[in-house]
Amino acid sequence: MGKEIRNQIGIITGAASGIGSAIALRLSEKGVKLALFDCDKSGLKKIKSLLSTECETYIVDITDEKEVAKWINKVGERFGKIDILINSAGITGETNIKSHEVNSDDLRRVFEVNFMGSYYTSKYVLPWMLKNNYGRILHIASISGKEGNAGMLAYSASKAAVIGMAKVQGKEYAEKGITINTLAPAVIKTAMVDALPNEQVNYMTDKIPMKRCGTLTEVADIATFIVSPECSFTSGFTFDLSGGRATY
Ligand SMILES: NC(=O)c1ccc[n+]([C@@H]2O[C@H](COP(=O)([O-])OP(=O)(O)OC[C@H]3O[C@@H](n4cnc5c(N)ncnc54)[C@H](O)[C@@H]3O)[C@@H](O)[C@H]2O)c1
């Protein structure tokens, strides 16, 4: 019999909100034991109370490499292994701003969270995965990393960097039973999107052939497949979740 996802150990960053918390709930339903990383203490507490499997929460700023290393190694020691890493923590930074007006400090900050944060977590999780010749890493990127959203230089470029990193990492560990992929969602219906005026949401969904936002259920479904043992012959790839917008 092949590996089962039940009783695997997963780390999810950005798990206190939106996409990260939806994936945490779904993986817990599948029997995955979880370590949830976020800087939002109350959000983490709320999600933990909803989970049915063993779960540890860690208040971590993923831009702090030493903290990331310390807590990932604690998770590895506590559970004896790490099977899954999902990087969902992310920020948009300033938006609706042209490239020549971008504040360089804001650009650096967005790269620190979206790119360096995903790099640090993968850097310290990989030695644990190599011990078992098994692992699944999923970086949540964005369609903006493939297409470039005007007015969102920092966000789009940082997500393109994440996609580039997964292409490299996918090749480097391809013979070690470890897959590293990204997911590129278009706009997903989260509390943040619910709070926007209808006109703004329509502007975004107009670019999507299905003419609607993706749902958190749809994100959780595809993410669960990508990190499952069954998704074993795909690495370095960017999975699409854009309602038909991206066909490449
Ligand atoms: N919602 C969408 O439409 C959409 C579309 C494409 C991609 N994404 C990507 O999906 C991911 C999740 O998005 P979301 O909509 O759930 O966002 P969200 O704001 O609801 O959740 C992001 C979480 O990341 C945490 N976080 C931010 N900076 C952190 C840091 N330095 N250290 C630790 N935690 C930190 C926040 O506290 C928050 O809980 C992001 O990477 C985002 O770029 C979202």
Side-chain angles (χ1 to χ4, degrees), residues 208-233:
I208 299 175
M210 289 187 195
K211 297 285 184 252
R212 66 170 177 87
C213 296
T215 64
L216 286 173
T217 304
E218 287 167 328
V219 181
D221 283 341
I222 193 168
T224 302
F225 170 67
I226 297 167
V227 301
S228 71
E230 289 78 15
C231 187
S232 50
F233 200 47

Side-chain angles (χ1 to χ4, degrees), residues 66-177:
K66 284 197 178 118
E67 285 287 298
V68 169
K70 180 173 90 181
W71 293 118
I72 283 180
N73 289 330
K74 277 259 190 284
V75 173
E77 284 154 19
R78 157 89 178 74
F79 292 102
K81 62 171 186 164
I82 301 171
D83 302 293
I84 297 168
L85 166 67
I86 299 178
N87 279 314
S88 188
I91 57 171
T92 57
E94 283 182 77
T95 60
N96 200 20
I97 191 165
K98 293 240 163 53
S99 290
H100 70 282
E101 295 162 337
V102 165
N103 176 318
S104 302
D105 286 338
D106 184 68
L107 178 65
R108 270 187 216 101
R109 175 72 192 153
V110 173
F111 264 80
E112 277 292 318
V113 177
N114 293 358
F115 178 73
M116 295 305 291
S118 299
Y119 168 63
Y120 294 146
T121 52
S122 50
K123 175 176 178 179
Y124 292 101
V125 148
L126 277 162
W128 286 95
M129 293 182 168
L130 285 167
K131 279 187 195 178
N132 285 338
N133 280 315
Y134 182 82
R136 297 281 182 267
I137 296 179
L138 172 60
H139 303 295
I140 308 292
S142 161
I143 185 123
S144 67
K146 288 168 77 174
E147 303 234 319
N149 279 356
M152 296 182 77
L153 175 81
Y155 186 72
S156 304
S158 67
K159 294 296 188 179
V162 168
I163 288 170
M165 173 166 65
K167 289 180 183 178
V168 174
Q169 293 179 327
K171 292 184 184 75
E172 287 177 349
Y173 304 97
E175 292 175 277
K176 300 291 181 190

Side-chain angles (χ1 to χ4, degrees), residues 7-89:
N7 288 325
Q8 287 196 349
I9 309 301
I11 295 178
I12 305 176
T13 75
S17 175
I19 289 176
S21 59
I23 298 173
L25 285 166
R26 178 62 61 82
L27 288 185
S28 175
E29 283 166 20
K30 295 269 175 197
V32 177
K33 297 176 186 171
L34 293 166
L36 306 182
F37 286 19
D38 206 294
C39 47
D40 171 3
K41 190 176 176 184
S42 63
L44 278 181
K45 200 171 159 202
K46 193 171 156 211
I47 292 302
K48 182 176 175 169
S49 73
L50 300 173
L51 299 183
S52 48
T53 43
E54 202 177 332
C55 166
E56 302 277 336
T57 55
Y58 299 85
I59 316 299
V60 189
D61 178 344
I62 56 158
T63 65
D64 184 332
E65 182 172 3
K66 284 197 178 118
E67 285 287 298
V68 169
K70 180 173 90 181
W71 293 118
I72 283 180
N73 289 330
K74 277 259 190 284
V75 173
E77 284 154 19
R78 157 89 178 74
F79 292 102
K81 62 171 186 164
I82 301 171
D83 302 293
I84 297 168
L85 166 67
I86 299 178
N87 279 314
S88 188

